[in-house]
Every structure is written in structure tokens, then in C-alpha cells.
Amino acid sequence: MKGEIIVATLNHIPVVKTEMLIRKPVKDVFEAFIDPEITSKFWFTKSSGRLETGKRVQWDWEMYGASTEVNVKEIEEDKRILIEFGDNTLVEWIFTSRAENETFVSIINSGFEGDGDDTVKQALDSTEGFTIVLCGLKAFLEHNIVLNLVSDKAPDAHVKR
């Protein structure tokens, strides 16, 4: 009904999980997230450094005039990355080798805060964002194509230089 207010209660804080098969060896897929020279081809435009356990790095999306601080909590070579993302959520990548040239990547984002509407919005935005990242990664690693997905997602939000 028009104008009716619906009240819903969340029983659990949302946890985002997005996954994709990348047809490249696990070492290559893992390195794509550790090395900003590679990551900048499909996600952010600039980073203050490689991901290393205990390190704090800054990621920039220059086209949007946005940046975030990332605390690297844990890294298990070719298996797992755990970071605290700018807004204090946790992001975990799990890399599972399927065959010699296949890696299944799972990205799990948790720790959303706020009221029900806020946490649902954050989870939906995260799902969309990390799905775009995985699609860009797949195109880049499998076909050496830079799709500019993150930049093209919101072209009207680009900052003027």
C-alpha cells in the first residue's frame, strides 16, 4: 500500500559473500590482491603499498576523490587475506585451488554497523562492489582486459580535475 511504513527486525547482522572461479593458478590470483600494481588494473587506482601482515595501507579511487585505510590482519600465502576495511568491517579473501589453472575466490565482508536499514544498505553495496571487483579481476587475469568497471559504475560521481 502506498505510503505504508513497514517495520522489519533483523535477527542477524548481514554478512556478504561473493565468489567466482578464476581460470589462473592460485599464486597469480592471490598476488593480484597483494600487489597494488596488479590490483589497480581492476579495483582501486592507487595504493600506499603491498599488503603485508600488520601493515596499514591506503587505497585511493582517484576518479571519485575517495580513499580508505586498510589494516592487514592476517595473510596466509596463496590461501587467505584478512583486512579491516576503512569503515571497520572485516574483509576476508579465501583462495581455493581447483585445478592447476583454476582458483575459486570467496570474498566475505562482515561487521556492518548501524540500524537495520543501514546494515542492509551496506551489505547490498558491498555485494555489488565485490562482485564488480571479481568480474574485473576475471577479465584482467584471464583475458588481459581492463574493463574499468569500478570507474564506469558511477561516471557522474567522478571528481573534476
Side-chain angles (χ1 to χ4, degrees), residues 79-97:
K79 289 185 171 49
R80 182 174 169 262
I81 300 168
L82 179 65
I83 65 167
E84 185 178 62
F85 203 57
D87 54 5
N88 295 324
T89 66
L90 290 177
V91 180
E92 180 179 32
W93 286 261
I94 299 170
F95 303 86
T96 305
S97 181

Side-chain angles (χ1 to χ4, degrees), residues 25-42:
V26 71
K27 183 167 249 5
D28 295 349
V29 179
F30 180 83
E31 187 67 13
F33 284 101
I34 295 292
D35 183 353
E37 290 296 316
I38 303 169
T39 320
S40 62
K41 304 283 193 271
F42 63 90

Side-chain angles (χ1 to χ4, degrees), residues 18-24 29 32-33 38-39 41-43 93 103 105-107 126-151 153:
T18 184
E19 302 175 305
M20 188 165 298
L21 180 72
I22 310 294
R23 288 182 172 85
K24 286 293 178 182
V29 179
F33 284 101
I38 303 169
T39 320
K41 304 283 193 271
F42 63 90
W43 193 4
W93 286 261
T103 304
V105 181
S106 299
I107 302 176
S126 174
T127 302
E128 178 183 45
F130 283 119
T131 299
I132 288 171
V133 167
L134 285 176
C135 291
L137 169 71
K138 183 175 184 71
F140 181 70
L141 289 184
E142 291 184 15
H143 306 286
N144 201 29
I145 298 171
V146 176
L147 293 177
N148 297 311
L149 295 173
V150 174
S151 179
K153 163 66 175 90

